[in-house]
Amino acid sequence: MVENGYTIALSTGCAYSLFYTVLLASVIRYRLSPSHPLAKYPGPTIMKITKIWAAWIAYGGRTHVYMKALHDKYGPIVRIGPNELSTSEKGFIPQILGSQGMPKGPLWDGRRFAQTDAQKLEDYDSVVDVRDSLLHAQLRKPWNQAFSAEPVKDYELLLMPRIVQILEILKGTCLHHQDGIGRVNMAKWISCFAFDFMGDVAFGGCFELMKEGDKDRCLHNMEAALHLVSITQHVPWVSKVMRNMPLVNRAMARFIKFAVEKALARYNMEMKRKDLFYHMSEASGDPESELPIIVSNALLAIVAGSDTVSFTLSCVLYLLLSNPASYNRLQREVDETFEKCGIPAMDVAESMDSFSPQARYNEVFSSMPYLNAVINEGMRLFPAVPTALQRAPAKGSGGKLLKTESLSIFLPEGNAIVVPPYVIHRDPRYFSPSPDSFIPERWLPSPTPSSSGGNDSSATKFETSRDAFIPFSVGQQNCAGRPLAVIEMRYLLAALTRNFDMEFDREVYNVTQWEDKMEDRFTCHAKGTLPVTMKWRGVAAKSGNVVA
Ligand code: HEM
């Protein structure tokens, strides 16, 4: 009897094993066969067989470097999954991301971890992971409205007090030492600054990381939460299983709880400022919708709005400090502009008495060629979303034909395509010479050299393809917060260079660690440090400049 049962179990086990082995073998055979619709595109065999390899690379955090190496080896179209391509051909960008583009791809099914209770029944978390174009357009409307010209001016007013705060802290660090030289990890301060400012814009000012440190471990929880989804995005079916495993999903659960608490606190505030959710609720035209809008977008606002800006700003500073001639040139432009326009140094004690709280400087900053060239060049070399702009043909469309003058791809429904900014931005066809070097001059209409032996680019003819520059992506699903991000970066860089002379702290700085420790987790995370020595310049006291 027992023997009989054992035999039945054994033969059932064998039958199942055989079935799955045959099934697996046929799947692999099909994926590698010439009849697969993506068969003609080159790529590593392992990636043609399974996306688990991409998940493994993502686990190490070096997808951006890996993708660049793939394109260097295989060319402008690479097969990076059984049903997925990557392209570095700029001619395809409008047809993939742009006005004639496609909906978001399956990557977003694998990133969908963050449902609040209210969203659990839906097939999306917030605007960012919606795959249906019509629904996306509907959810995107309040975001577009909230980042139109007038609301952004309201956010600009929230920015100045945070700029003043970070300058005061840094100045205090300098003056605390007898030699007037402060030693700080600028990456940490920039990160706290960006987080605090996003708290002001979205939640009425609830984060105080610059003042109190990360006592709620919000930066830590955000990073931990985003780590897992950066891996599962490659294998959406795994994420569906994991979503229901509380132990695995712990970090995300903590982060959701944190965001929902902040959202509710913002909703219950008596005195509401004209912040992001004020403008989003206004745009919806329905007072009842305020709470759902805040709750469903809270997490997105924190992640999209703080991490990206702090990463970009830190990278720009890293590049400036690595290229002192560029730092000096930027400082000269900032000094001249501040003095010409009577902009206070923003460092409180000396100039803030005469500083109008209604003053906005973005208009001035937006016309500073070198400041904007530096920001562009930073985002070119280190785009905050380096590899994961993925799109797929719409359901029921049958597929999409992509065509340039020399190339064409037919992408059948069920397949996806990625446009990796990190690869395109370093492609010598679009940015030359020296696509891997920091040369802000390539963005100037008529490049002039940085003095003191920097990038002598006066005689250089630059190829700078603006249509291959996509740090904020393009099209209907591009970055909603771009206008705010740009203003924030301009203000902080101008304020820092106006008030401080900075250098790497050579005693503790290891030149390669910044780039080596960078991790591609959908958005790029800076895991390295930026140890800096800084000296307060005291410009306000010297020039006595005031707001006109
Ligand atoms: C330097 C800073 C930033 C960079 C480089 C950046 C870049 C991006 C990129 C590449 C996307 C993906 C678009 C796509 O899939 O095609 C995106 C989406 C998004 N970003 Fe940003 N971003 C930045 C700052 C911000 C800020 C400050 C906010 C404000 C909250 C924001 C809000 C959003 C939102 C809401 C989306 C989703 C848009 C949608 O799916 O329709 N971003 N961002």
Side-chain angles (χ1 to χ4, degrees), residues 155-391:
Y155 313 146
E156 194 181 341
L157 292 181
L158 302 175
L159 179 55
M160 187 58 89
R162 289 296 180 190
I163 295 279
V164 169
Q165 186 184 4
I166 189 171
L167 293 183
E168 267 205 314
I169 292 170
L170 297 173
K171 178 178 154 189
T173 312
C174 296
L175 298 186
H176 182 73
H177 291 91
Q178 258 187 350
D179 57 3
I181 294 183
R183 293 192 144 76
V184 293
N185 172 11
M186 276 305 289
K188 178 193 125 187
W189 284 110
I190 288 175
S191 177
C192 295
F193 160 83
F195 215 79
D196 283 353
F197 176 57
M198 207 54 225
D200 298 344
V201 169
F203 304 109
C206 58
F207 307 145
E208 287 300 342
L209 268 68
M210 283 196 283
K211 199 156 118 196
E212 297 166 2
D214 191 6
K215 62 179 179 11
D216 296 332
R217 291 174 63 76
C218 37
L219 287 178
H220 170 85
N221 286 342
M222 178 168 75
E223 208 169 285
L226 297 179
H227 185 100
L228 184 62
V229 288
S230 76
I231 300 163
T232 59
Q233 71 186 30
H234 295 283
V235 271
W237 59 270
V238 172
S239 89
K240 279 188 187 147
V241 177
M242 283 188 173
R243 214 174 293 172
N244 298 315
M245 296 165 73
L247 266 182
V248 181
N249 209 10
R250 226 172 10 186
M252 182 57 90
R254 268 200 299 261
F255 190 45
I256 294 173
K257 184 168 169 282
F258 167 79
V260 170
E261 274 169 17
K262 298 299 170 200
L264 291 174
R266 157 66 182 74
Y267 178 69
N268 290 323
M269 264 176 197
E270 278 186 15
M271 281 289 294
K272 285 180 189 156
R273 298 193 277 198
K274 288 192 171 178
D275 60 13
L276 176 67
F277 291 126
Y278 167 88
H279 286 293
M280 285 181 79
S281 310
E282 286 277 292
S284 78
D286 169 15
E288 294 293 306
S289 69
E290 189 183 5
L291 186 59
I293 283 188
I294 298 178
V295 172
S296 64
N297 288 296
L299 202 75
L300 174 60
I302 301 176
V303 175
S306 58
D307 219 20
T308 46
V309 173
S310 80
F311 171 77
T312 309
L313 272 169
S314 292
C315 284
V316 171
L317 193 62
Y318 157 77
L319 292 163
L320 282 171
L321 295 174
S322 307
N323 297 274
S326 300
Y327 186 96
N328 293 340
R329 181 168 182 175
L330 174 62
Q331 198 172 52
R332 273 202 310 281
E333 185 186 73
V334 169
D335 283 348
E336 282 163 19
T337 310
F338 271 53
E339 274 156 34
K340 195 173 81 195
C341 302
I343 298 173
M346 302 172 177
D347 65 339
V348 210
E350 278 73 15
S351 56
M352 281 298 135
D353 290 347
S354 49
F355 167 73
S356 155
Q358 293 302 314
R360 297 187 183 92
Y361 301 107
N362 186 47
E363 225 173 284
V364 177
F365 295 159
S366 66
S367 53
M368 290 171 67
Y370 203 70
L371 174 64
N372 291 291
V374 161
I375 294 172
N376 278 353
E377 188 66 348
M379 290 196 294
R380 184 184 70 79
L381 287 171
F382 299 114
V385 182
T387 53
L389 303 183
Q390 192 204 51
R391 301 289 188 265

Side-chain angles (χ1 to χ4, degrees), residues 104 128 136 140 304-305 308 312 385 391 471-473 477-479 481:
K104 297 200 181 189
V128 76
H136 177 271
R140 180 65 192 248
T308 46
T312 309
V385 182
R391 301 289 188 265
F472 294 103
S473 185
Q477 299 157 111
N478 71 348
C479 175

